Amino acid sequence: MRLTNGQRLKSVVDATEVIVVRAPGQDIDVTCGGRSMIPIDTEHPGDLGVEDGWSGETLIGKRYAHDDLGLELLCTRGGQAALGVDGQVLGMKQAKALPASD
């Protein structure tokens, strides 16, 4: 799926919802629990099970990123499954350190 900045996605395995903060210029498959996420306004197909190896918590208010692809997501509703892209688990984006004021 080709993502756009500001697009909202939801999980089909749990309550997770995200907003695309930074979208890459290519088609990618954003997943939650190992299953493709769908646009927020799409009818929910019913809860599907989390695939093996994709359990983990998605935290509200945290950003998840894949720097090589240029993808950044903001979690607006947390859940109990891991976010991923193209078969890789997305890591939580770390805050940048502020410069020392010595």
Side-chain angles (χ1 to χ4, degrees):
M1 157 184 339
R2 181 146 326 233
L3 301 176
T4 57
N5 293 344
Q7 184 176 8
R8 295 178 61 203
L9 303 172
K10 66 182 177 182
S11 172
V12 296
V13 300
D14 66 4
T16 302
E17 293 180 6
V18 298
I19 293 177
V20 178
V21 175
R22 195 172 44 148
Q26 63 193 38
D27 287 342
I28 59 170
D29 184 27
V30 176
T31 60
C32 183
R35 302 194 185 267
S36 296
M37 295 187 82
I38 58 176
I40 198 94
D41 57 354
T42 304
E43 187 173 330
H44 200 284
D47 285 343
L48 302 173
V50 175
E51 291 188 1
D52 289 339
W54 287 95
S55 60
E57 194 170 28
T58 303
L59 302 173
I60 188 169
K62 298 296 183 181
R63 292 175 186 250
Y64 295 83
H66 191 294
D67 291 332
D68 292 341
L69 289 176
L71 173 69
E72 186 174 328
L73 305 173
L74 172 64
C75 180
T76 58
R77 189 169 181 191
Q80 299 300 315
L83 293 174
V85 62
D86 293 335
Q88 299 174 5
V89 174
L90 277 180
M92 193 180 307
K93 188 172 181 178
Q94 301 300 316
K96 292 181 181 177
L98 296 174
S101 61
D102 293 341

